[in-house]
């Protein structure tokens, strides 16, 4: 048999070949926004730089500014120069700039959408975009329904047998189960589910995808990946910054809706799911849906959850305001900036293993990690004093920054006595590979253009996530203001108490 690695004619399905998008154009709504400038436009340039966009690729910006095409071109140019991952090259930029167009208008302006439809059509004739267009809704969630309806009214959403139309939606997908269902209905009324790409940019991160490689490409971990060996799992997304300038989006939303409902529950799903039959999108999503269906919040919530709000004070030598002093927030805002919950995956693999999820702003450090903490050895044949400093074995998947994996286990301290202490073994992406990781948005925008849906949650996953979170949010809504915590700390005292009650502690990454 000829082996793949010495076969001169490589299998065309070889996943190592570069994946280049076919003829297409991308329309971005909300081009003047933070996300478009810092992430989306730089990612498009990076894809162009890596030669992964088609020759006639075209980018259309839609915004209310009274701009010419070149004004929008300048905005893209500046954001690329400032934020792109790959070096700025005049030749790459010039090729990209030829396909940049701008359409001025507001979301309720029928004429503007008709002009947009004409622009998309003209680009197809001029540059051969194949009649294929993706619409990126980088806009406030309240505008999703009106833009979706405009895309339907103007005919922009209509695909033919040979062409595709796709819509890309940013989080948050609703604010509870009811509104998520309503939003899904509005979107699915215009676009079939296979044309809807809901962005959860965490799924575009290398380390998150590596979780699947770690679990399913190795023999080492899976036999112990269950309630027989795992004591509990901690999933953390901590940020050290505050919410200055983000009141419009955040006030009334809070940490649980902003991060736990999407990013952290997706990380839980990938950590806890069964092995998919294959990595085909349908198979992967089936397992995620199954594990989310089995995931339930553990109560009583007074004891198993914690919520907090950062107070003003000193952080890193700087005086910083509390949430209530940040511009734009209501002076009596009860929006939480810290949230921690206890969940259980109620199936044979995980019964009895708590999954602790926490997220917060103005915490001690910016870090995202999944820590699988193992049970203690059933018996330690040492003097108790020899193992005083021995913790529990843990496998920590470091999602960001400093992407990699750490294994913590006990080791003998050099010397004449048998003292055992925790040590770590590290894998770091930066050391192990010469290739630098693409930005999450690069991977995800390319996947949209390729029609590759594996890394995008389906409506069922979104609704299941709200089902898990809603009872906790309802309980919190009946309480008053969240507990205050000092900036630079690891959250309110109730968060520590929540774990101490079960004899456990949060990691201090
Ligand atoms: N920023 C992030 O890191 C991030 C992360 C995850 C998800 N998201 C999501 O991504 C989306 C965009 O976020 P963002 O931070 O970029 O928001 P943003 O900075 O507030 O930008 C919103 C954009 O929408 C436009 N817009 C708002 N109302 C409009 C209207 N009635 N007609 C026409 N244009 C209108 C704004 O145009 P004007 O400039 O003309 O006002 C602006 O370009 C949101 O859904 C957000 O939840 C953002």
């Amino acid at each position: 048999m000829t082996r793949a690695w010495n076969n001169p004619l490589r299998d065309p399905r070889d996943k190592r070949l570069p994946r280049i998008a076919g003829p297409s154009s991308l329309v971005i709504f909300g081009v003047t926004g933070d996300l478009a400038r810092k992430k989306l436009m730089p990612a498009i340039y990076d894809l162009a730089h890596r030669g992964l966009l088609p020759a006639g690729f075209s980018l259309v910006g839609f915004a209310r500014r009274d701009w010419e095409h070149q004004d929008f071109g300048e905005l893209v140019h500046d954001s690329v120069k400032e934020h792109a991952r790959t070096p700025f090259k005049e030749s790459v930029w010039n090729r990209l700039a030829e396909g940049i167009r701008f359409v001025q208008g507001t979301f309720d302006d029928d004429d503007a959408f008709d002009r947009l439809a004409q622009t998309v059509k003209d680009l197809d004739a001029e540059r051969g975009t194949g009649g294929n267009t993706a619409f990126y809704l980088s806009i406030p969630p309240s505008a999703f329904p009106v833009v979706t309806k405009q895309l339907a009214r103007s005919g922009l959403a209509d695909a033919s047998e040979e062409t595709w139309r796709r819509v890309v939606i940013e989080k948050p997908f609703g604010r509870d189960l009811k509104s998520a269902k309503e939003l899904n209905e509005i979107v699915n009324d215009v676009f079939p589910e296979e044309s809807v790409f809901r962005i959860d940019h965490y799924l575009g991160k290398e380390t998150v995808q590596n979780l699947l490689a770690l679990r399913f490409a190795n023999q080492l971990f899976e036999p112990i990946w269950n309630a027989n060996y795992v004591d509990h799992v901690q999933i953390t997304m901590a940020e050290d910054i505050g919410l200055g300038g983000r009141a419009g989006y955040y006030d009334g939303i809070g940490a649980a809706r902003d991060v736990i409902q999407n990013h952290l529950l997706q990380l839980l799903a990938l950590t806890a799911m069964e092995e998919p039959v294959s990595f085909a999108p349908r198979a992967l999503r089936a397992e995620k849906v199954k594990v989310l269906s089995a995931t339930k919040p553990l109560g009583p919530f007074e004891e198993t959850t914690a919520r907090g709000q950062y107070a003003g004070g000193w952080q890193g030598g700087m005086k910083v305001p509390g949430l209530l002093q940040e511009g734009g927030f209501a002076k009596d805002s009860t929006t939480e900036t810290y949230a921690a919950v206890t969940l259980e995956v109620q199936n044979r693999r995980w019964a009895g293993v708590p999954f602790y999820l926490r997220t917060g702003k103005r915490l001690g450090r910016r870090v995202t990690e999944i820590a699988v903490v193992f049970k203690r050895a059933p018996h330690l044949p040492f003097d108790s004093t020899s193992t005083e400093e021995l913790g529990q074995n843990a496998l920590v998947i470091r999602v960001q920054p400093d992407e990699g994996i750490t294994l913590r286990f006990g080791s003998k301290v050099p010397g004449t006595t048998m003292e055992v202490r925790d040590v770590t073994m590290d894998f770091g992406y930066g050391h192990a590979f010469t290739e630098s990781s693409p930005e999450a948005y690069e991977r995800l925008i390319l996947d949209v253009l390729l029609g590759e849906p594996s890394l995008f949650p389906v409506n069922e996953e979104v609704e299941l996530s709200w089902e898990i979170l809603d009872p906790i949010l309802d309980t919190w809504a009946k309480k008053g203001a969240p507990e205050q915590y000092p900036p630079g700390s690891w959250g309110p005292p109730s968060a520590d108490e929540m774990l101490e009650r079960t004899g456990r502690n949060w990691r201090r990454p």
Side-chain angles (χ1 to χ4, degrees):
M1 192 179 84
T2 321
R3 304 290 290 268
W5 43 264
N6 63 6
N7 184 351
L9 296 173
R10 281 243 221 112
D11 183 338
R13 287 165 304 172
D14 189 335
K15 291 284 194 288
R16 293 166 304 182
L17 295 173
R19 307 175 317 146
I20 302 174
S24 49
S25 59
L26 177 68
V27 176
I28 303 184
F29 296 96
V31 287
T32 51
D34 207 44
L35 183 71
R37 281 183 296 111
K38 290 196 184 137
K39 297 286 181 189
L40 307 184
M41 295 189 277
I44 290 163
Y45 170 85
D46 288 325
L47 289 173
H49 192 254
R50 292 163 66 203
L52 300 178
L53 294 180
F57 177 79
S58 306
L59 174 66
V60 186
F62 184 100
R64 32 190 176 189
R65 314 285 154 102
D66 192 11
W67 274 352
E68 299 293 328
H69 296 316
Q70 56 266 36
D71 297 321
F72 175 51
E74 263 171 44
L75 173 91
V76 186
H77 179 268
D78 294 349
S79 69
V80 163
K81 272 207 142 168
E82 198 176 342
H83 300 291
R85 179 178 67 88
T86 57
F88 188 81
K89 241 184 175 172
E90 215 58 51
S91 56
V92 175
W93 169 252
N94 289 341
R95 223 175 321 125
L96 190 63
E98 281 169 22
I100 291 182
R101 302 286 184 275
F102 180 72
V103 176
Q104 192 263 331
T106 52
F107 297 150
D108 51 7
D109 180 354
D110 289 0
D111 288 347
F113 276 81
D114 292 341
R115 272 184 276 120
L116 178 62
Q118 191 58 47
T119 305
V120 167
K121 210 166 158 193
D122 293 347
L123 279 170
D124 188 18
E126 281 169 40
R127 299 179 51 81
T129 57
N132 302 318
T133 307
F135 302 98
Y136 201 122
L137 274 45
S138 180
I139 53 176
S142 56
F144 292 166
V146 58
V147 173
T148 316
K149 283 177 190 157
Q150 283 286 17
L151 291 174
R153 190 206 53 78
S154 58
L156 275 163
D158 298 340
S160 68
E161 294 245 315
E162 298 82 37
T163 63
W164 53 256
R165 299 291 158 115
R166 297 179 185 139
V167 68
V168 186
I169 306 185
E170 270 291 341
K171 66 156 203 190
F173 315 113
R175 52 170 293 118
D176 53 19
L177 178 61
K178 183 169 169 284
S179 54
K181 278 187 168 165
E182 282 164 9
L183 178 62
N184 280 332
E185 255 171 49
I186 290 169
V187 174
N188 288 147
D189 205 33
V190 177
F191 291 95
E193 183 59 20
E194 65 268 21
S195 304
V196 183
F197 289 72
R198 294 175 189 81
I199 295 261
D200 187 321
H201 72 271
Y202 262 63
L203 299 182
K205 289 181 184 291
E206 287 288 333
T207 24
V208 173
Q209 294 162 45
N210 190 36
L211 192 52
L212 299 177
L214 176 84
R215 290 192 55 199
F216 302 124
N218 297 302
Q219 175 70 344
L220 193 56
F221 306 109
E222 208 54 19
I224 52 171
W225 210 261
N226 55 53
N228 294 335
Y229 296 94
V230 175
D231 177 70
H232 71 278
V233 177
Q234 295 188 17
I235 304 182
T236 301
M237 179 188 160
E239 288 177 281
D240 52 7
I241 52 169
L243 283 153
R246 294 199 61 203
Y249 163 67
Y250 205 87
D251 204 12
I253 295 283
R257 288 188 175 92
D258 185 41
V259 174
I260 295 183
Q261 185 272 336
N262 35 67
H263 306 321
L264 298 196
L265 279 170
Q266 284 289 324
L267 293 184
L268 176 144
L270 295 176
T271 306
M273 73 182 199
E274 297 300 315
E275 181 176 292
V277 178
S278 72
F279 280 110
R282 193 186 289 266
L284 193 61
R285 287 158 158 193
E287 292 306 335
K288 283 204 285 167
V289 165
K290 205 167 94 192
V291 76
L292 287 171
S293 313
T295 304
K296 310 286 172 211
L298 275 191
F301 299 143
E302 290 71 28
E303 295 180 6
T304 58
T305 70
R307 69 199 258 272
Q309 195 179 65
Y310 63 81
W314 290 91
Q315 186 182 18
M318 300 237 307
K319 195 147 180 47
V320 294
L323 183 86
L324 301 181
Q325 291 90 49
E326 300 272 21
F329 282 90
K331 292 293 164 243
D332 55 354
S333 172
T334 56
T335 302
E336 85 279 357
T337 59
Y338 178 96
V341 302
T342 309
L343 307 179
E344 189 182 53
V345 180
Q346 295 180 345
N347 61 19
R348 178 173 287 241
R349 186 193 279 261
W350 293 115
V353 178
F355 281 71
Y356 300 113
L357 276 51
R358 65 172 165 169
T359 182
K361 308 275 182 195
R362 284 232 183 276
L363 297 184
R365 235 190 100 190
R366 172 178 170 255
V367 63
T368 301
E369 62 165 43
I370 302 162
V372 180
V373 182
F374 293 91
K375 293 184 174 171
R376 289 183 190 279
H379 171 68
L380 291 172
F382 309 94
D383 290 342
S384 58
T385 51
S386 314
T387 52
E388 258 172 12
E389 290 187 49
L390 178 64
Q392 283 167 271
N393 295 161
L395 184 74
V396 183
I397 295 121
R398 304 193 307 270
V399 176
Q400 73 178 16
D402 184 26
E403 294 93 337
I405 295 171
T406 300
L407 185 62
R408 185 180 71 188
F409 55 96
S411 177
K412 181 183 173 306
V413 179
T416 48
T417 55
M418 180 50 102
E419 191 189 342
V420 187
R421 211 185 279 166
D422 285 334
V423 293
T424 55
M425 208 155 77
D426 267 328
F427 149 68
Y429 263 85
H431 301 294
F433 298 108
T434 49
E435 299 92 339
S436 71
S437 298
E439 276 282 325
Y441 278 97
E442 265 174 84
R443 168 71 198 259
L444 295 175
I445 291 173
L446 181 62
D447 279 358
V448 169
L449 299 177
L450 288 164
E452 163 54 58
S454 302
L455 299 179
F456 300 85
V458 281
N459 49 10
E460 215 178 336
E461 289 169 68
V462 171
E463 291 176 14
L464 283 167
S465 303
W466 283 120
E467 250 172 62
I468 296 165
L469 207 56
D470 270 2
I472 298 173
L473 293 172
D474 289 346
T475 307
W476 286 356
K478 291 184 198 114
K479 290 182 160 189
E483 217 179 337
Q484 299 265 310
Y485 59 92
S489 69
W490 282 96
S494 58
D496 290 329
E497 289 156 18
M498 161 186 161
L499 256 68
E500 280 160 12
R501 249 178 230 118
T502 70
R504 301 181 176 100
N505 291 300
W506 287 111
R507 285 169 48 77
R508 293 275 182 266

